[in-house]
Amino acid sequence: MRPVSTSRGSAAAAVLLSAAKAVSATASLSDICSSDYAVAALPLDAVQGVTIDTTSVTTQLVTNFTASSNFYPTSTFDYCNLTFAYSHNGLDNDIVHVQYWLPAPGQFQNRYVSTGGAGWAINSGSQSIPTGVIVGGVGGLTDGGFGSFDNQFSDVALVENGTVNWQATYMFGYQAHHELATIGKQLTRNIYNVSDSSKVYSYYQGCSEGGREGWSQVQRYPDQFDGIAVGAPAFRWAQQQVIHLFGNVIEQTQGYFPSSCELEKIMNLTIESCDPLDGKTDGIVSRSDLCLDNLDLNGMVGTPYSCAAAAGGMQSSATPAQEGNITAEAITLVRAYWAGLHDSDGNLVYYTYQPGSSFDDLDAAYNATSDTWGLSVSGLGGIWVSQFLKKLKADNLPNLNNVTYDTLKEWMVETMNLYGDIMQTTYPDLTDFKAAGGKVIHFHGEQDFSIPTASSVRYWESVRQITFAGQSLKQSTAAMDDFYRLYLVPGAGHCAANSYQPNGPWPQTSLQTVIDWVENGVVPDTLAGTGDIDTLCRWPLRPLWVNDGANFTCVESKSSVESFTYDLSAFRLPVY
Ligand SMILES: *[C@@H]1O[C@H](CO)[C@@H](O)[C@H](O)[C@H]1NC(C)=O
Ligand SMILES: *[C@@H]1O[C@H](CO)[C@@H](O)[C@H](O)[C@H]1NC(C)=O
Ligand SMILES: *[C@@H]1O[C@H](CO)[C@@H](O)[C@H](O)[C@H]1NC(C)=O
Ligand SMILES: *[C@@H]1O[C@H](CO)[C@@H](O)[C@H](O)[C@H]1NC(C)=O
Ligand SMILES: *[C@@H]1O[C@H](CO)[C@@H](O)[C@H](O)[C@H]1NC(C)=O
Ligand SMILES: *[C@@H]1O[C@H](CO)[C@@H](O)[C@H](O)[C@H]1NC(C)=O
Ligand SMILES: *[C@@H]1O[C@H](CO)[C@@H](O)[C@H](O)[C@H]1NC(C)=O
Ligand SMILES: *[C@@H]1O[C@H](CO)[C@@H](O)[C@H](O)[C@H]1NC(C)=O
Ligand SMILES: *[C@@H]1O[C@H](CO)[C@@H](O)[C@H](O)[C@H]1NC(C)=O
Ligand SMILES: [Ca+2]
């Protein structure tokens, strides 16, 4: 258990302090950044079945590096970039590269921090890993064995058409992160001469796919991390991947493909209508649960919109100057999108996004020759179906011919059946993690357009019901508060603040928050946010402005909780 009592806590802190002083007196960053020093520190026996290649070690001293991201405060520091490779005994052509950033011995505070990726990437290059050094720890990332630090899982997911790369799939699912952290923690001890009797605290930070990777460890290895700070995890994999195609199937079924400008106008009108319902007209939809009851969707029909022409970017194709009036067809489409995916028996399969968020999964393609909008299959959903269900080396489905709402449900069931144990990262019994003293800070943008906000609420609720089965709502909610706290971020999009709702908050220092909770017993009633709202309410409390927008509060709201709670009646087994 953690040293939270004051006497034991300060004694432990004193030991750490003197250890840090002793270290800083004896070695400099350049001393520990030699390849000989690193080779001697390799934890050769850390993971059973793994052989570290001692000839693969590289070290590079980097000075005055400036790191900037919305997941840590901007910082300038020196570090040592240590990399090496390992392989799994008995496998051919199997090489995994890991990268660890070491802080100067004088900065080291007995911490190790693993970092994850996004989309189909298992790391974020030099974007996420600085967070470790910034908190006085060693940062770590892995290439998952996908060939190089720049390769993604999707680059190697199929060996050939029809042949799944199972080793890579298990590595992506959870194994690579288990190895990264297990090696990283022991390496950290060895590099800084931390004695067996001193603690090296271990943490994880990541968002989206990176959020899923953090949960993959908490659910399987209760002792892996003392704390994790994760956002918008892509963890209910089967539903999450396939739901990206739902918007396209509505468009195809209804035969209407809206222009980007028409959708943006509907979003803008929604934000305008929903913004004040939280008690303050500040451009931020803090209570999306109150939106639909008050929104006059039919009243939007005929409202004019216009947009200037835009050049295409990396992610988007060029769009022409657009002008028109919102159509009844577009409103019908948006209603269906918000109602969620239902099968042909009318049962709910999965929910989508909160009103006010942008309509990314409804993006259509502009054809300049015909001056019309048509189907653009969401690559986020199409890639999973093509590679893992159809087993074709293809980046997307070529079209959605014959794909119905029922097909989407079948694809979700097939994914759970074939890949559930690897990718469906929603195991809800966290008894062992809690007993080990682990802590979780989990947040999710309330206006996320890529991973439904309700998906995080659903998992928190599953953990509450399964881990604390038999306890009352009040008891189990209090028990959750002891180790796992969820915060919805007003107005925020996917793993970032939202340009359509400027000045909304973002929890930039969540890793430091979980460290303070783990090491000093500082319990985060609210999570610190940047922007105009500096506190984020912890679920199930909900934000509300009172006194004519003068005071911000977190309130209980049964109806709000209910609006985030769905009965996925299309599935006969529990979907956690
Ligand atoms: C790093 O920055 C400091 C302060 O700006 C400067 O004095 C030092 O020369 C820089 N070091 C290197 C190696 O650039
Ligand atoms: C760290 O070193 C490895 C191996 O030389 C290199 O591939 C990687 O780009 C380096 N990372 C940074 C951020 O310099
Ligand atoms: C760890 O101990 C070795 C052997 O005493 C010493 O050479 C090295 O400088 C120490 N490392 C640090 C970071 O103090
Ligand atoms: C939507 O609102 C944004 C400002 O947040 C504005 O830039 C954009 O032009 C608006 N879009 C339309 C279609 O009116
Ligand atoms: C939009 O509706 C107005 C009437 O409200 C009409 O005058 C105008 O022509 C329509 N614009 C387009 C592009 O259809
Ligand atoms: C665009 O429209 C033209 C004319 O109708 C058609 O020939 C062409 O196939 C379309 N392109 C795409 C990519 O659908
Ligand atoms: C594998 O499938 C893709 C997508 O259908 C196809 O383009 C490619 O030709 C196939 N490769 C082989 C070797 O059959
Ligand atoms: C779609 O379904 C029809 C009727 O069942 C069938 O004839 C056709 O081959 C199917 N098309 C595709 C692309 O699967
Ligand atoms: C509202 O905030 C003001 C200033 O922060 C404070 O003085 C006042 O007590 C608050 N009122 C309520 C009802 O919380
Ligand atoms: Ca508001």
Side-chain angles (χ1 to χ4, degrees):
M1 299 300 289
R2 309 282 153 259
V4 284
S5 79
T6 39
S7 56
R8 288 188 56 206
S10 50
V15 169
L16 294 191
L17 204 63
S18 61
K21 274 186 187 145
V23 163
S24 62
T26 56
S28 68
L29 183 59
S30 68
D31 289 337
I32 67 170
C33 204
S34 78
S35 128
D36 285 351
Y37 188 91
V39 169
L42 291 175
L44 298 179
D45 299 323
V47 181
Q48 183 189 26
V50 155
T51 299
I52 294 176
D53 176 0
T54 55
T55 68
S56 67
V57 169
T58 74
T59 55
Q60 180 192 9
L61 183 65
V62 180
T63 53
N64 284 1
F65 179 82
T66 297
S68 158
S69 141
N70 57 348
F71 289 97
Y72 46 75
T74 298
S75 309
T76 299
F77 54 84
D78 301 341
Y79 69 95
C80 175
N81 172 15
L82 165 61
T83 74
F84 54 90
Y86 66 85
S87 55
H88 298 100
N89 299 344
L91 285 186
D92 291 336
N93 303 321
D94 174 65
I95 300 173
V96 184
H97 301 95
V98 284
Q99 185 172 145
Y100 296 99
W101 285 21
L102 315 176
Q107 309 291 313
F108 178 65
Q109 296 180 58
N110 285 41
R111 296 181 183 128
Y112 168 76
V113 185
S114 275
T115 61
W120 294 85
I122 197 167
N123 68 64
S124 310
S126 56
Q127 263 303 300
S128 296
I129 191 171
T131 198
V133 178
I134 289 169
V135 298
V138 171
L141 64 77
T142 175
D143 82 344
F146 308 150
S148 80
F149 291 119
D150 297 331
N151 272 22
Q152 304 196 356
F153 171 47
S154 49
D155 297 327
V156 299
L158 289 192
V159 181
E160 290 294 344
N161 290 346
T163 306
V164 170
N165 185 343
W166 287 106
Q167 174 65 11
T169 306
Y170 276 95
M171 286 294 276
F172 189 62
Y174 58 88
Q175 190 184 335
H177 269 287
H178 178 54
E179 293 165 357
L180 173 73
T182 308
I183 293 170
K185 287 187 281 186
Q186 188 58 47
L187 175 76
T188 300
R189 266 183 194 284
N190 297 353
I191 293 270
Y192 296 94
N193 295 337
V194 181
S195 70
D196 287 349
S197 58
S198 295
K199 169 109 183 148
V200 169
Y201 289 97
S202 66
Y203 299 98
Y204 178 90
Q205 186 175 38
C207 202
S208 195
E209 160 58 18
R212 187 199 66 76
E213 290 161 20
W215 276 116
S216 78
Q217 303 303 294
V218 167
Q219 292 165 10
R220 290 181 177 81
Y221 309 103
D223 296 325
Q224 183 81 287
F225 297 120
D226 295 296
I228 69 168
V230 286
F235 51 5
R236 197 167 297 100
W237 191 261
Q239 286 75 15
Q240 176 57 42
Q241 297 306 313
V242 177
I243 200 66
H244 279 302
L245 295 167
F246 173 49
N248 295 148
V249 175
I250 311 173
E251 290 168 332
Q252 176 172 275
T253 307
Q254 300 191 354
Y256 184 76
F257 299 91
S259 72
S260 55
C261 191
E262 186 172 29
L263 287 174
E264 189 175 272
K265 184 69 187 181
I266 295 172
M267 176 188 71
N268 282 1
L269 293 172
T270 305
I271 293 171
E272 204 181 302
S273 159
C274 300
D275 169 8
L277 302 176
D278 53 32
K280 184 173 185 177
T281 304
D282 55 359
I284 305 165
V285 180
S286 296
R287 288 294 298 276
S288 62
D289 56 294
L290 302 174
C291 276
L292 284 187
D293 287 348
N294 291 273
L295 193 60
D296 181 11
L297 270 173
N298 290 341
M300 291 184 191
V301 174
T303 307
Y305 59 79
S306 69
C307 295
M314 293 268 284
Q315 309 282 327
S316 55
S317 44
T319 52
Q322 301 166 57
E323 217 176 271
N325 296 329
I326 293 177
T327 61
E329 286 90 340
I331 294 302
T332 306
L333 191 71
V334 164
R335 262 187 215 289
Y337 192 63
W338 284 340
L341 171 61
H342 290 76
D343 66 14
S344 52
D345 293 329
N347 290 311
L348 183 65
V349 179
Y350 209 54
Y351 39 78
T352 56
Y353 311 98
Q354 295 300 111
S357 53
S358 66
F359 294 106
D360 285 39
D361 286 353
L362 285 173
D363 279 351
Y366 178 66
N367 182 332
T369 315
S370 59
D371 189 25
T372 56
W373 294 81
L375 181 69
S376 164
V377 181
S378 162
L380 292 169
I383 189 171
W384 173 258
V385 176
S386 351
Q387 296 203 346
F388 289 89
L389 303 184
K390 300 193 177 297
K391 298 183 181 165
L392 293 172
K393 287 187 122 180
D395 288 342
N396 202 348
L397 294 167
N399 56 56
L400 293 175
N401 291 349
N402 288 1
V403 174
T404 65
Y405 300 128
D406 284 344
T407 316
L408 297 180
K409 172 183 156 184
E410 285 157 20
W411 283 342
M412 290 179 185
V413 171
E414 199 178 337
T415 299
M416 284 192 285
N417 261 323
L418 299 182
Y419 302 94
D421 64 324
I422 314 175
M423 298 305 307
Q424 191 81 349
T425 315
T426 50
Y427 188 80
D429 180 1
L430 301 185
T431 306
D432 293 345
F433 176 76
K434 181 176 194 291
K439 309 284 186 224
V440 176
I441 299 281
H442 176 164
F443 54 88
H444 202 133
E446 182 144 346
Q447 304 273 268
D448 194 314
F449 49 83
S450 190
I451 297 185
T453 310
S455 73
S456 282
V457 172
R458 185 179 191 84
Y459 180 68
W460 186 93
E461 189 59 26
S462 296
V463 173
R464 185 185 67 76
Q465 289 180 20
I466 297 293
T467 304
F468 305 107
Q471 296 191 11
S472 70
L473 177 64
K474 199 169 169 217
Q475 278 178 318
S476 54
T477 302
M480 290 293 281
D481 262 353
D482 286 345
F483 83 109
Y484 171 14
R485 295 183 170 216
L486 169 67
Y487 307 81
L488 303 191
V489 189
H494 185 57
C495 292
N498 179 356
S499 63
Y500 292 111
Q501 296 181 33
N503 308 318
W506 183 253
Q508 190 169 19
T509 52
S510 58
L511 177 62
Q512 189 59 52
T513 304
V514 82
I515 290 173
D516 291 341
W517 192 8
V518 166
E519 298 182 21
N520 304 316
V522 179
V523 180
D525 279 342
T526 55
L527 191 57
T530 58
D532 286 353
I533 300 175
D534 60 3
T535 55
L536 310 179
C537 303
R538 80 180 185 283
W539 186 263
L541 299 180
R542 299 286 291 143
L544 189 68
W545 292 92
V546 292
N547 299 341
D548 262 345
N551 295 56
F552 180 85
T553 56
C554 298
V555 298
E556 283 184 33
S557 166
K558 193 158 176 279
S559 61
S560 185
V561 171
E562 278 165 5
S563 95
F564 278 96
T565 308
Y566 295 89
D567 176 12
L568 302 185
S569 55
F571 300 100
R572 300 202 176 170
L573 78 174
V575 174
Y576 293 114

